[in-house]
Amino acid sequence: MDLLPPLFPDLLLDLLSMALLIGGVFLSISGAVGVIRFPDFYTRLHAAGVTDTLSAGMILAGLMLQAGFTLVTVKLLFILIFLWYTSPVASHALARAAMHTRVEPAEAEVIDADQGDESSAN
Amino acid sequence: MFAAAAICILVVMALALARAFLGPTVCDRILAVNMFGTKTVLLIAVYGFLTGRPDFLDIAITYALINFIGVIAVLKFVEGIADSEQQPRPDEF
């Protein structure tokens, strides 16, 4: 029975940090694909925002689990706090600058009331 | 595990660079550069863990701050250009 307790916390930490890393990387890649594929600037801004905040948070949380209660975790917390505060401000400033330089949002396809019924009818 | 995460972050940085080259407007390019900088912060942190050197995180902290300051400076510059286009300064200025 003594094999389990020492093995247990390390295995759990590794598995948990691996899951967090995989989640963070998946969000990051999906955000990057969104930045490439989205039609206009403002939707891309949203996709970039996803990668900046949550995926960075998950990756850094995964690293924190690996580091345990040391100074490294405090530094990772600082990075996380700085990223979570600065990236929304940067996104806001970007959107303001885009509005200022009159970047036009893409025109959504206008579906008329009657045409909508036809397409949903068939 | 960290190597896989580092490689995936490199893929994301490549996609961000692709958007930087494709981006029609200036703001798309700034957006791509901002995203590239944030991913560099993560790459430095993960690489620090990969090679077992915790002092990389100091670099990541400073890079995160400087990246933000750089993006804000460029945005103020871009808005300054937009202002001067809308209200051209008097000639004798």
Side-chain angles (χ1 to χ4, degrees):
Chain A
M1 259 317 276
D2 57 359
L3 177 62
L4 195 56
L7 187 64
F8 183 70
D10 297 342
L11 184 64
L12 183 69
L13 276 185
D14 281 351
L15 285 179
L16 212 56
S17 72
M18 193 180 290
L20 277 174
L21 273 174
I22 289 171
V25 160
F26 169 71
L27 273 175
S28 186
I29 287 178
S30 61
V33 167
V35 164
I36 292 288
R37 279 174 51 87
F38 275 159
D40 72 338
F41 167 73
Y42 298 103
T43 45
R44 279 184 218 119
L45 188 58
H46 162 66
V50 165
T51 71
D52 281 349
T53 48
L54 187 55
S55 92
M58 286 177 91
I59 289 175
L60 291 176
L63 294 181
M64 271 184 226
L65 288 184
Q66 287 292 331
F69 296 107
T70 58
L71 184 60
V72 170
T73 309
V74 175
K75 285 182 190 171
L76 282 168
L77 263 176
F78 275 149
I79 295 179
L80 196 60
I81 289 169
F82 288 157
L83 275 183
W84 274 359
Y85 272 100
T86 51
S87 73
V89 171
S91 302
H92 168 73
L94 255 166
R96 209 173 75 94
M99 288 299 290
H100 210 80
T101 52
R102 276 200 280 296
V103 173
E104 294 306 324
E107 291 308 319
E109 296 82 17
V110 178
I111 298 175
D112 302 337
D114 50 359
Q115 185 198 358
D117 300 343
E118 284 152 16
S119 62
S120 59
N122 52 29
Chain B
M1 179 170 68
F2 294 126
I7 289 165
C8 293
I9 290 177
L10 281 174
V11 165
V12 170
M13 289 162 87
L15 287 173
L17 268 184
R19 171 48 59 193
F21 291 131
L22 292 174
T25 63
V26 162
C27 291
D28 286 306
R29 294 196 166 87
I30 301 172
L31 172 79
V33 165
N34 179 26
M35 185 175 156
F36 191 86
T38 315
K39 290 307 155 218
T40 316
V41 169
L42 291 179
L43 186 71
I44 294 171
V46 167
Y47 189 72
F49 269 78
L50 185 65
T51 54
R53 292 192 41 202
D55 46 9
F56 269 40
L57 295 177
D58 306 335
I59 304 172
I61 290 177
T62 47
Y63 198 93
L65 293 173
I66 292 174
N67 176 40
F68 171 64
I69 292 168
V71 166
I72 296 294
V74 170
L75 285 177
K76 285 187 89 65
F77 179 67
V78 165
E79 286 199 7
I81 291 177
D83 286 346
S84 65
E85 272 159 10
Q86 278 138 19
Q87 301 104 11
R89 287 194 187 82
D91 295 340
E92 78 280 353
F93 170 70

